[in-house]
Amino acid sequence: GVEAVRATPAGRLEHQARGVVAAMIRHGTTTVEARSGYGLDETGEIKTLRVAARLDGAPADVVRTFFGARAVPAEFSGRGEEYLSWLETEMLPKVRKRGLAGFVDISCGDRAFAPEPARRYLDRARALGFGFRVRGSPALAVETEALSVSGIETPLAFDAERLAGSGTIAVLTPGTAFQSGSRRAPARTLIDYGVAVAVATGHDSVLCPTVSLPAVLSIACTELRMTPAEAIASATINAAHALGQAARCGSLEFGKDADIILLNAGDYRELPFRFGSNLIHRTIKRGTVVYEEGVIAWPQN
């Protein structure tokens, strides 16, 4: 939570984060999005982004998103617009000048920020050169031409149609609903309307503790009724587009990074089908092996 992040020294945060990234690599992930949003003050947010920056490229790529507008901190209770104004005038320029993040995210909805202040915030982010994402409001995401929108629970047909006609990717985190037992993301509705969908682990130490993207693909197929091909495409090329990284990763094409996984499988459909199994034999980042399956110490006869 917020108090834990504020109180934890940067060195300890980095140690914990390295463990998470290493576990993701063992499960085949080569590009990770790291968000702030649990500091909700200058010290906590800057500390989080600096830790993420130190992890970038060693050995996974870490795409950093400033998410100071995730929620209103307790000290600004009842003064959400004042807090958002502070982020806009103080934090966005500092984060941009120091090169701590290339993207910005904002939560919209009943317990977050209203559309009009959120729109002004995103306009400021755009003017400073940030890419941006939106959580909880497909309409605002489409209007502002956001890279992606997350937190979609019950899209209206109108929202789905607008998303389908836009360049905004709908990002789903099936593991979050699986962990909490909450409402499942409407993947089938979105896909049937023609919306580009991306799937992510949504890793959170409490809300979604898994680091395994293959496990999340299993949930996407069984719980969200996605086909194996849809799930895998959503976790690779669509996810790369959602992070603004599709020019270098997300598919095996000439000129892109050689980010490759080798599987202990004879068919791609085994990846989501064999739930709970880590089928990753080897993870390759830019042509270099960064993880290889270990050897079991069988007893000698």
Side-chain angles (χ1 to χ4, degrees):
V2 172
E3 294 305 319
V5 169
R6 289 180 178 181
T8 303
R12 185 176 300 174
L13 280 180
E14 183 175 346
H15 176 75
Q16 294 169 350
R18 284 188 184 278
V20 170
V21 172
M24 288 182 167
I25 289 169
R26 289 194 292 271
H27 287 83
T29 296
T30 57
T31 298
V32 180
E33 182 194 13
R35 299 183 177 198
S36 66
Y38 281 94
L40 301 183
D41 65 1
E42 181 173 346
T43 301
E45 291 295 294
I46 295 295
K47 176 174 62 176
T48 303
L49 292 172
R50 281 178 171 163
V51 166
R54 286 198 288 270
L55 298 181
D56 186 21
D61 288 324
V62 179
V63 178
R64 302 183 300 281
T65 297
F66 173 56
F67 199 15
R70 180 185 66 84
V72 179
E75 57 266 34
F76 278 88
S77 180
R79 297 181 291 135
E81 288 200 34
E82 182 182 339
Y83 173 67
L84 197 61
S85 178
W86 173 75
L87 290 176
E88 182 180 327
T89 58
E90 297 293 330
M91 289 300 293
L92 287 181
K94 287 181 181 179
V95 170
R96 188 62 179 167
K97 183 178 180 180
R98 298 175 188 180
L100 293 174
F103 299 90
V104 165
D105 201 344
I106 187 168
S107 290
C108 297
D110 295 338
R111 290 176 292 179
F113 301 99
E116 194 51 44
R119 186 178 290 105
R120 291 196 300 268
Y121 181 75
L122 294 177
D123 286 343
R124 176 60 174 158
R126 190 202 309 272
L128 288 170
F130 287 102
F132 53 85
R133 325 179 195 289
V134 172
R135 177 172 180 79
S137 176
L140 180 63
V142 172
E143 289 171 15
T144 57
E145 299 180 335
L147 269 174
S148 65
V149 59
S150 59
I152 303 174
E153 293 183 350
T154 54
L156 301 174
F158 175 72
D159 287 332
E161 288 175 354
R162 294 191 71 185
L163 279 170
S166 74
T168 300
I169 310 288
V171 177
L172 311 180
T173 55
T176 304
F178 182 81
Q179 172 75 359
S180 65
S182 59
R183 181 178 292 163
R184 301 166 186 165
R188 194 71 265 151
T189 299
L190 292 167
I191 292 170
D192 289 346
Y193 267 94
V195 177
V197 168
V199 164
T201 59
H203 173 77
D204 180 288
S205 60
V206 175
L207 299 178
C208 187
T210 187
V211 295
S212 174
L213 190 52
V216 170
L217 296 183
S218 297
I219 298 170
C221 291
T222 58
E223 300 290 309
L224 306 190
R225 296 171 33 218
M226 296 174 71
T227 68
E230 288 170 342
I232 291 171
S234 71
T236 52
I237 187 62
N238 286 8
H241 277 289
L243 292 180
Q245 306 296 308
R248 64 164 192 82
C249 67
S251 59
L252 300 179
E253 297 181 64
F254 181 79
K256 288 192 177 184
D257 292 351
D259 291 2
I260 302 167
I261 56 172
L262 302 183
L263 303 173
N264 293 318
D267 189 296
Y268 73 93
R269 290 169 291 190
E270 292 184 47
L271 191 57
F273 177 73
R274 291 169 59 180
F275 67 91
S277 300
N278 187 1
L279 300 182
I280 308 301
H281 172 64
R282 188 174 293 160
T283 304
I284 300 169
K285 180 66 182 177
R286 283 191 286 272
T288 299
V289 176
V290 294
Y291 165 74
E292 189 153 17
E293 184 180 17
V295 176
I296 300 299
W298 292 99
Q300 297 299 315
N301 292 327

